[in-house]
Amino acid sequence: MSEDLLAEITESVIGGEPETVIALTRQALEMGLEPMEIINQGLVPGMDIAGEKFSRGEFFLPHLLIAAKGMQNAMELLEPELVARKQTFKSVGTVVIGTVQGDIHEIGKSLVGTMLSANGFKVHDLGVDVRIENFVSKIEETRADIVGLSALLTTTMIGQREVIEALVEAGLRDRVKVLVGGAPVSQSWAEEIGADGYAEDATGAIQVAQKLMGAKS
Amino acid sequence: MRPIFKILSDELVNQIIDEALGLLLDPGVRVHNHEALELLAAAGADVDSEMQVARIPEDIVRRALETAPSEFYLYSLEGEPVVHYGGDSVQFDPGSAAITILDRETQQLRAPMTDDFVNFVKLVETIPQLDAQSTAMICSDVSEEIGDLYRLYLALNYMRKPIITGAFGIDTWWTMKELLVATVGGEAELASKPIAVFDVCPSPPLLWSELTCQNLIDCARAEIPAELVSMPLAGATAPVTLAAAVIQHAAECMSGVTICQLSQEGAPIVWGGSPSAFDMREGTTPMAAVGTWMIDCAYTQVGKALNLPTHAYLGMSDAKLVDAQCGLESAGGTLLAALAGVNMVSGAGMMDFESCQSFEKLVIDAEIIGMAKRLLAGIEAREEPIALSLIRKMGHRAEYLAEPHTLKWFRDEFYIPSEIIDRSSLDGWQKKGAKTAWQRAAERVDHLLSSYQPSPISDELRTELRSITMKAAQNVGMGELPPLPDA
């Protein structure tokens, strides 16, 4: 019975029905299923399958993003339950992400953020036009493993360097890996400003983030 | 008869305009610029200063659409009106602000330098199919902070054709204006005979950032033409249905026209854009997807219905090499833009979305543009009767090659391409070295560059332009500028 329900949760994540994911998650809690069980046997397998389908070209970005939305909504419901049980869902890593100051381009940054959370990262998205000190304080507050800095303009990519300099100044540079991206950003720019990783697109960013986590642990 | 392509029914155009007007009222447009918010509030818009949102009633927008001029001209450096924004005029300029170029030797993408852009400007001067210059690439050998004005400075030293440009900052716009004023000899001269258009880009959905909004206001006050580049990414930053993306585009452009006209009634403004049908697999913004072309054609039709000059980024390719994809995409977009009657089509030479410029692609695109312009000229009777007397005279003889009628008309009737387009026999092609289109294009670039005629500007003006640019460079801590390549 509970196995059927967990399978249904998985299906609703894959099927892109965030409302159903929530309803079923609530039902599972009412039936007395453990939140960790719901996550590991209901939600996560759904995201995994959606991810596999995307890599095979069977799924497109809207499938993936709506699946992630279902998972995120369910997690919001489950997190207080986990806290009540003094449990934590172990994420792959914690990421602070945002578009640098003066730049209001959102889409690439949000795509990377969602894909990271779909891949088991805990993501704090600071939005666009993010002030340097906001990156620094959020990294400090969340003890982030990775910070993702997005810039779409040649005039704002300098902001990526400025955040790195601020991290050095705040004594945080050794504790956090810096991932940079955006249209004008390149591997050589990443090296020039002393970033730890660069990726051309969202899928690449996930791989680099996973690699950086491997290097961290 | 001039062939024209309409993608929307009149009913749909009206509905798009109505729904766009509805969007400006609710949810309104985000305006991150204090001055613009004040202008809008003074005109009667409902402004939430804290949220920086303006809800603009229809009558304010309608009035702005009325006072915006339906046409204007851009002038060459010699003072001739050479570009007509308005009606169904169709003109072409290269795609702008590339952050890479396709290296002519290695065919690898790399950062552009001063010499690259100067050669590019010279090449554009020599290509008859191109009607205007653009600040086509960002030179990596100067500080990013003066990247916008430095391009204009370089171009002004080598060009005669007018230029499509844009500022990356609020302050740099003023330096760019100073360069233009110096070139034409005064502010009044620049307003009455503009040699440049500034692109100003709202951010989807429905946002005017402080910078672009200020550029828009400053252009309007100086009566320098501004070109609205609204870029809904259908399925990402705008709704996925093409008609809905066109509505969002219309709302963004209408808000731009309104801010422009409130700043200075009668200031020239262009209904333009760079939309994209978002790629659902790669998360990229294709400039050559058929969906992208359709949004462009549709918003152009909406702009025409509002009696405004139009612009579009078309004729580009998403390919990373000058290959078959590059050719087919560039041809499709260019032909559609021409048929849709877009006044200024920006995109020639551009590939890798809107990121890379290529000299070789530019000269290939010039051939596509040549074909498109011929297509637009349509089929004419030429003589009366058209054929009856001629064919009766010739009877059944196949000897038209030697007829005066052929000699008289063949140049008007046919578009005659350069050697880039291979029409040799197989044997002839092999004898000429069995060259690829890339090789033929590379040779054409060399040939054209060697025919460049230096610009007519005086040494005094060159010195003045350099001192204006030098001052801006020093303000950002650059001690010197790269040397100016030979004219």
Side-chain angles (χ1 to χ4, degrees):
Chain A
M1 183 64 193
S2 68
E3 273 168 26
D4 288 351
L5 187 54
L6 289 170
E8 271 184 68
I9 291 178
T10 305
E11 278 310 310
S12 63
V13 170
I14 304 167
E17 306 155 57
E19 299 307 316
T20 315
V21 180
I22 294 206
L24 292 174
T25 303
R26 193 169 282 129
Q27 199 183 325
L29 282 173
E30 281 160 9
M31 277 177 60
L33 264 69
E34 279 299 309
M36 208 56 103
E37 203 180 347
I38 301 174
I39 295 171
N40 289 329
Q41 292 168 46
L43 299 170
V44 170
M47 274 320 301
D48 286 347
I49 294 168
E52 282 161 24
K53 283 178 179 280
F54 180 72
S55 334
R56 282 202 302 269
E58 200 178 315
F59 263 21
F60 292 83
L61 286 169
H63 296 114
L64 203 57
L65 291 198
I66 205 151
K69 197 178 201 173
M71 164 117 186
Q72 279 164 358
N73 289 353
M75 286 305 288
E76 276 170 33
L77 199 67
L78 292 171
E79 256 155 22
E81 299 292 330
L82 288 172
V83 172
R85 288 168 177 74
K86 298 196 165 46
Q87 295 174 334
T88 45
F89 172 61
K90 200 176 162 351
S91 65
V92 180
T94 302
V95 181
V96 167
I97 194 167
T99 306
V100 298
Q101 193 158 8
D103 199 323
I104 51 167
H105 291 92
E106 182 135 33
I107 188 77
K109 178 268 306 164
S110 301
L111 198 57
V112 172
T114 312
M115 300 267 281
L116 282 169
S117 65
N119 280 275
F121 285 85
K122 173 108 188 134
V123 177
H124 300 272
D125 189 337
L126 299 180
V128 298
D129 192 11
V130 179
R131 297 160 68 95
I132 297 170
E133 52 267 36
N134 291 0
F135 276 114
V136 176
S137 62
K138 197 70 183 178
I139 290 164
E140 210 156 16
E141 176 200 324
T142 60
R143 303 184 158 271
D145 303 293
I146 295 174
V147 57
L149 305 172
S150 172
L152 207 86
L153 305 171
T154 51
T155 43
T156 56
M157 57 194 265
I158 315 165
Q160 296 178 329
R161 188 205 301 267
E162 288 167 354
V163 174
I164 294 177
E165 287 166 356
L167 289 172
V168 173
E169 217 163 283
L172 291 170
R173 186 62 189 92
D174 299 337
R175 278 169 38 193
V176 64
K177 298 285 183 190
V178 180
L179 184 57
V180 293
V185 178
S186 61
Q187 183 63 44
S188 63
W189 170 251
E191 283 162 18
E192 186 186 326
I193 63 172
D196 301 295
Y198 153 78
E200 176 79 21
D201 52 29
T203 338
I206 310 310
Q207 287 161 2
V208 176
Q210 285 165 340
K211 215 168 92 191
L212 288 177
M213 286 315 295
K216 252 187 95 87
S217 53
Chain B
M1 189 196 75
R2 155 77 183 270
I4 191 117
F5 172 58
K6 287 190 173 185
I7 196 166
L8 302 172
S9 68
D10 291 346
E11 295 76 41
L12 200 47
V13 170
N14 287 333
Q15 189 176 349
I16 286 166
I17 292 171
D18 283 347
E19 290 199 27
L21 286 163
L23 285 182
L24 292 179
L25 203 55
D26 179 17
V29 58
R30 294 176 290 162
V31 182
H32 291 176
N33 180 288
H34 188 65
E35 202 176 345
L37 284 174
E38 277 185 353
L39 286 169
L40 288 162
D46 173 13
V47 169
D48 180 336
S49 335
E50 199 180 324
M51 297 302 293
Q52 298 185 298
V53 169
R55 295 183 174 80
I56 317 173
E58 181 174 336
D59 59 324
I60 301 174
V61 182
R62 291 267 187 207
R63 184 176 157 72
L65 292 169
E66 286 294 314
T67 58
S70 59
E71 62 172 350
F72 65 88
Y73 286 87
L74 289 184
Y75 292 77
S76 66
L77 254 59
E78 288 101 339
E80 297 297 321
V82 288
V83 166
H84 175 239
Y85 272 94
D88 288 329
S89 296
V90 174
Q91 293 130 130
F92 295 84
D93 76 304
S96 60
I99 51 175
T100 55
I101 66 165
L102 188 66
D103 188 275
R104 298 200 55 209
E105 300 299 322
T106 65
Q107 294 195 45
Q108 301 283 318
L109 274 59
R110 64 167 172 83
M113 309 283 277
T114 296
D115 279 0
D116 297 318
F117 181 51
V118 167
N119 279 331
F120 194 85
V121 172
K122 289 179 178 176
L123 183 60
V124 172
E125 283 303 311
T126 63
I127 297 177
Q129 292 93 337
L130 291 172
D131 304 279
Q133 290 276 355
S134 78
T135 36
M137 52 185 85
I138 302 172
C139 301
S140 62
D141 47 353
V142 299
S143 161
E144 284 86 357
E145 291 154 277
I146 59 162
D148 52 356
L149 65 95
Y150 183 68
R151 303 175 302 170
L152 182 62
Y153 158 68
L154 290 180
L156 286 171
N157 272 281
Y158 299 90
M159 71 183 211
R160 292 163 188 262
K161 296 177 181 179
I163 189 162
I164 316 302
T165 188
F168 304 156
I170 290 176
D171 298 337
T172 48
W173 182 90
W174 288 93
T175 308
M176 293 173 81
K177 182 193 164 196
E178 207 182 335
L179 290 167
L180 292 169
V181 167
T183 304
V184 299
E187 299 211 1
E189 286 79 359
L190 185 61
S192 62
K193 289 187 171 184
I195 58 166
V197 169
F198 279 81
D199 280 353
V200 289
C201 315
S203 308
L206 299 165
L207 168 66
W208 282 96
S209 71
E210 188 186 12
L211 153 70
T212 52
C213 194
Q214 195 60 48
N215 286 167
L216 175 60
I217 294 170
D218 293 339
C219 278
R221 296 235 160 101
E223 293 184 67
I224 298 170
E227 193 161 80
L228 299 164
V229 184
S230 163
M231 44 186 98
L233 309 179
T237 63
V240 75
T241 57
L242 303 183
V246 176
I247 289 170
Q248 182 175 309
H249 173 278
E252 287 179 359
C253 281
M254 283 176 179
S255 65
V257 173
T258 306
I259 293 168
C260 166
Q261 296 301 304
L262 290 176
S263 306
Q264 175 62 53
E265 206 172 279
I269 182 99
V270 182
W271 187 269
S274 185
S276 177
F278 200 70
D279 188 275
M280 292 303 181
R281 204 165 254 149
E282 301 290 344
T284 52
T285 56
M287 292 294 118
V290 66
T292 301
W293 296 343
M294 291 166 80
I295 301 171
D296 278 296
C297 291
Y299 84 63
T300 299
Q301 203 182 326
V302 174
K304 285 177 187 291
L306 295 168
N307 208 16
L308 290 168
T310 54
H311 154 272
Y313 273 95
L314 278 170
M316 292 178 287
S317 171
D318 304 321
K320 321 303 182 272
L321 286 173
V322 178
D323 59 2
Q325 179 185 341
C326 190
L328 76 91
E329 289 181 338
S330 304
T334 302
L335 290 171
L336 272 179
L339 288 171
V342 177
N343 295 154
M344 183 57 76
V345 186
S346 302
M350 206 138 212
M351 48 199 289
D352 185 21
F353 311 100
E354 262 168 339
S355 298
C356 177
Q357 262 294 355
S358 160
F359 288 72
E360 286 76 11
K361 180 177 186 295
L362 188 74
V363 294
I364 295 171
D365 289 351
E367 298 303 333
I368 305 172
I369 293 168
M371 294 179 199
K373 285 184 169 176
R374 172 62 193 95
L375 178 67
L376 284 190
I379 292 182
E380 286 184 41
R382 302 294 190 194
E383 293 193 355
E384 202 50 56
I386 300 167
L388 199 57
S389 14
L390 176 67
I391 298 180
R392 277 186 182 154
K393 187 188 93 178
M394 297 295 286
H396 296 125
R397 288 175 294 126
E399 292 168 4
Y400 289 96
L401 258 180
E403 262 302 298
H405 179 267
T406 305
L407 183 62
K408 181 179 176 191
W409 289 113
F410 85 97
R411 283 182 170 277
D412 295 317
E413 287 291 301
F414 298 165
Y415 169 69
I416 300 177
S418 77
E419 296 263 318
I420 289 175
I421 305 298
D422 169 59
R423 287 176 186 158
S424 342
S425 64
L426 175 61
D427 193 39
W429 174 72
Q430 283 167 340
K431 280 191 178 129
K432 283 188 237 170
K435 289 172 187 154
T436 62
W438 169 271
Q439 290 167 321
R440 298 191 298 270
E443 286 172 7
R444 173 93 177 141
V445 170
D446 292 337
H447 170 73
L448 286 171
L449 278 176
S450 69
S451 73
Y452 169 76
Q453 297 295 318
S455 104
I457 66 170
S458 68
D459 288 345
E460 292 76 29
L461 177 55
R462 284 181 207 278
T463 311
E464 191 182 353
L465 294 175
R466 189 152 185 96
S467 95
I468 294 168
T469 308
M470 197 62 225
K471 209 170 78 192
Q474 281 162 348
N475 283 342
V476 299
M478 267 188 84
E480 53 187 320
L481 292 171
L484 211 53
D486 287 343

